[in-house]
C-alpha cells in the first residue's frame, strides 16, 4: 500500500499579532528548531514591535537551552521572522508555506483559523504550545511536511485501508441522467464514452 509520505524535518510556523507574548512565541519557535539543523521555524507577524521582541527573546533563550548549537544552525538555515502588512497577508503566506505545525497567537485565533487551508496541525491561543500536541493533547503526530500539507492530511487509519467504488443505476435513474452524461462526453470529444450511454436508449 502507498502509505508513505515526506515526514520531516520538523517545521513550525507562528502567526502572531500585536497581542502575542514575544517570550511565548520565541520559546515555541525554538521548540521545533532544536530537532535538527534542517528544522524550520518561521514567525509571521503583523507587528514590527513583536518581531523585534521575539528576536531578542530568542537571543536570551539561546544562552540557556542545552541544544543551542543545533538551534542556532537551524535558525541560520531555515529560521525567518516575516513582517506582514495585514492578517490576510499573513494567512496567505501561511497557506502557501503549508507548515507541519501552525500556531495562531492572535487576539481572535479562532477567526484566523477559519482562513487556514493548509497546515498539518493547528494550535490555537497562547496556551496551546506545539509540545502540548507532542506529549499530551493526543492529536496525530505523523504530519505532512515540506509543503505537502497543501495536498496531504495527517496519517490516519484511512491510509491503511483499500477502498473501491460501487455504482448501480436502474434504467429509470440512468434515463434521467443519460443526456447530461452524453453531453459531457461529447464536449470532451469522447464519442465512444457517449455511445456507451446512448445505446441503452436508442431504438436500434
Amino acid at each position: 500500500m502507498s502509505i508513505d509520505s515526506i515526514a520531516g524535518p520538523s517545521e513550525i510556523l507562528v502567526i502572531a499579532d500585536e497581542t502575542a507574548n514575544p517570550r511565548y512565541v520565541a520559546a515555541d519557535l525554538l521548540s521545533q528548531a532544536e530537532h535538527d539543523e534542517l528544522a524550520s521555524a518561521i514567525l509571521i507577524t503583523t507587528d514590527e514591535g513583536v518581531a523585534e521582541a521575539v528576536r531578542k527573546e530568542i537571543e536570551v533563550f539561546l544562552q540557556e537551552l542545552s541544544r543551542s548549537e543545533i538551534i542556532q544552525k537551524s535558525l541560520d538555515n531555515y529560521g525567518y521572522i516575516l513582517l506582514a502588512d495585514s492578517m490576510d497577508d499573513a494567512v496567505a503566506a501561511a497557506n502557501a508555506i503549508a507548515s507541519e505545525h501552525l500556531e495562531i497567537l492572535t487576539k481572535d485565533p479562532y477567526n484566523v483559523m477559519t482562513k487556514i487551508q493548509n497546515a498539518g496541525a493547528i494550535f490555537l491561543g497562547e496556551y496551546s504550545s506545539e509540545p502540548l500536541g507532542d506529549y499530551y493533547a493526543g492529536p496525530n503526530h505523523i504530519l505532512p511536511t515540506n509543503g505537502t500539507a497543501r495536498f496531504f492530511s495527517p496519517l490516519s487509519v484511512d491510509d491503511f485501508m483499500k477502498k473501491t467504488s460501487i455504482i448501480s443505476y436502474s434504467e429509470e435513474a440512468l434515463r434521467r441522467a443519460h443526456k447530461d452524461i452524453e453531453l459531457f462526453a461529447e464536449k470532451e470529444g469522447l464519442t465512444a464514452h457517449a455511445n456507451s450511454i446512448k445505446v441503452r436508449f436508442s431504438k436500434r
Side-chain angles (χ1 to χ4, degrees), residues 119-181:
I122 302 173
F123 300 78
L124 300 176
E126 63 181 11
Y127 293 103
S128 301
S129 163
E130 190 281 335
L132 174 68
D134 285 352
Y135 296 117
Y136 195 80
N140 195 318
H141 197 54
I142 304 172
L143 303 172
T145 62
N146 205 28
T148 58
R150 288 191 291 270
F151 48 86
F152 274 137
S153 301
L155 189 69
S156 75
V157 67
D158 287 340
D159 295 293
F160 294 87
M161 298 175 67
K162 189 175 84 67
K163 303 175 185 178
T164 190
S165 299
I166 300 171
I167 297 93
S168 176
Y169 265 49
S170 66
E171 179 182 354
E172 180 183 352
L174 186 60
R175 186 179 298 279
R176 289 195 298 269
H178 80 95
K179 289 183 180 177
D180 292 332
I181 300 166

Side-chain angles (χ1 to χ4, degrees), residues 50-69:
V50 167
E52 180 58 22
V54 168
R55 187 189 65 77
K56 290 178 179 176
E57 292 288 355
I58 286 172
E59 291 178 0
V60 173
F61 281 127
L62 282 172
Q63 306 304 313
E64 305 170 358
L65 297 169
S66 63
R67 294 170 65 87
S68 59
E69 282 188 32

Side-chain angles (χ1 to χ4, degrees), residues 1-73:
M1 288 188 188
S2 178
I3 59 168
D4 209 359
S5 64
I6 299 172
S10 190
E11 303 166 346
I12 187 169
L13 189 153
V14 177
I15 295 177
D17 64 10
E18 71 284 354
T19 68
N21 183 317
R23 190 164 172 80
Y24 296 172
V25 173
D28 294 354
L29 290 168
L30 301 187
S31 75
Q32 296 308 291
E34 79 169 340
H35 273 293
D36 64 69
E37 297 171 12
L38 299 177
S40 169
I42 300 171
L43 166 63
I44 304 176
T45 181
T46 52
D47 189 89
E48 191 170 355
V50 167
E52 180 58 22
V54 168
R55 187 189 65 77
K56 290 178 179 176
E57 292 288 355
I58 286 172
E59 291 178 0
V60 173
F61 281 127
L62 282 172
Q63 306 304 313
E64 305 170 358
L65 297 169
S66 63
R67 294 170 65 87
S68 59
E69 282 188 32
I70 292 172
I71 292 171
Q72 187 62 67
K73 288 179 180 176

